[in-house]
Amino acid sequence: MPDKKFWVTLMAIKRTAVYSNSERMIQMTTSTVVLSMARRFNASDKAVYEAWTNPELMKKWLFTQEDTNQVAKNVLRAGGSWEIVDRREGVEYRAIGEYLELKPPHKLMFSFKMPQLSDHEDRITVWISMVQKSCEMAFVQEIVVPHEEGWTQEDVKRTGTESSEKSRAGWGLMFENLKKLVEQRVE
C-alpha cells in the first residue's frame, strides 16, 4: 500500500432538519460526503491508538500543535466527550465531539464538530491494524454538507467536493504530524 491514499464519495443522502427560532421554522437540507484516507506508520497499533486518545499526545497533532494548544481533554469511554482548543493569530478554534465506539487498539468512532463554524456534526471512524511490522490506519469522515435553498445538483456536488478537499488537506497535514509523533516514539 502506498504511504498516502484517499478517495472521496458523494453520497446521495439528503437529510432534512427543522430548526425553530422565535420568529419562524427553518428547514435545512443536507447531504453527506464520505472522505476516506489511509496511512501506514512504522509504529505499533497501540502507539497510534494512544495518539488518538491520550490528551497529552492529542495536543501535539490533532486539530492543533503543541505550541498553539490551549486545551486537550477527554473522557475516554463510549458516550464520553473530547475537546481541543487551539489559538492561532488571536483566534480560538474549538473542536468537540463524543466517543461513539472504542475498541482499543483497533477502532475508534467519534462525532466531530467545530461550533464556531457550523451547527453540523460529522462522524469519524478510524481503523488501526498491524501489517507485518507496520501499522496501517484507515480513516473515514462522513462530512455533513448543508444546502441552500434553490441549489441545483451541480451546486450540491461542487460544495461536497470543496468540503471534502478542504478536509483532506487538513487531515493530510495532521497525519504528517501524527506520523512524526508515533514514529519518533519508536526510536
Side-chain angles (χ1 to χ4, degrees):
M1 178 177 105
D3 187 41
K4 295 181 181 181
K5 182 171 144 183
F6 75 94
W7 55 98
V8 177
T9 306
L10 177 61
M11 294 180 67
I13 296 174
K14 285 193 177 182
R15 299 180 188 151
T16 302
V18 177
Y19 300 93
S20 173
N21 64 24
S22 59
E23 298 175 16
R24 62 190 171 106
M25 299 290 280
I26 301 169
Q27 186 170 336
M28 174 70 70
T29 302
T30 63
S31 57
T32 301
V33 175
V34 178
L35 171 66
S36 300
M37 301 172 73
R39 294 290 189 274
R40 185 172 281 188
F41 305 107
N42 292 320
S44 71
D45 52 357
K46 291 177 179 69
V48 174
Y49 188 88
E50 184 180 15
W52 278 97
T53 58
N54 178 331
E56 288 303 308
L57 299 176
M58 291 163 58
K59 73 181 184 182
K60 296 179 181 189
W61 77 275
L62 186 58
F63 304 109
T64 188
Q65 294 179 359
E66 197 164 18
D67 59 332
T68 59
N69 177 268
Q70 303 294 303
V71 174
K73 63 183 180 179
N74 66 1
V75 177
L76 191 60
R77 62 172 171 72
S81 63
W82 64 271
E83 177 181 23
I84 293 176
V85 179
D86 192 50
R87 180 179 286 282
R88 287 174 261 148
E89 300 174 7
V91 178
E92 201 167 87
Y93 297 92
R94 183 170 174 247
I96 60 173
E98 178 182 327
Y99 292 110
L100 304 171
E101 184 177 349
L102 297 165
K103 292 186 177 179
H106 302 292
K107 182 181 180 185
L108 64 146
M109 181 187 298
F110 56 92
S111 63
F112 162 65
K113 181 177 181 178
M114 294 190 75
Q116 68 277 357
L117 301 177
S118 173
D119 289 332
H120 298 286
E121 189 173 85
D122 296 349
R123 180 181 305 201
I124 294 174
T125 306
V126 179
W127 290 273
I128 303 165
S129 58
M130 292 301 295
V131 178
Q132 297 173 349
K133 293 184 180 186
S134 297
C135 174
E136 192 171 283
M137 180 186 77
F139 168 92
V140 174
Q141 179 179 10
E142 298 171 37
I143 305 167
V144 177
V145 181
H147 301 186
E148 292 183 18
E149 190 174 326
W151 274 17
T152 65
Q153 285 298 99
E154 288 177 15
D155 294 329
V156 171
K157 185 175 181 178
R158 183 186 72 256
T159 303
T161 300
E162 289 169 0
S163 295
S164 65
E165 288 301 312
K166 286 178 186 175
S167 287
R168 183 183 62 79
W171 284 111
L173 293 171
M174 285 187 274
F175 292 162
E176 288 302 314
N177 291 332
L178 173 60
K179 180 179 179 78
K180 290 175 191 170
L181 176 67
V182 298
E183 290 184 355
Q184 102 184 17
R185 296 182 78 211
V186 172
E187 296 171 359

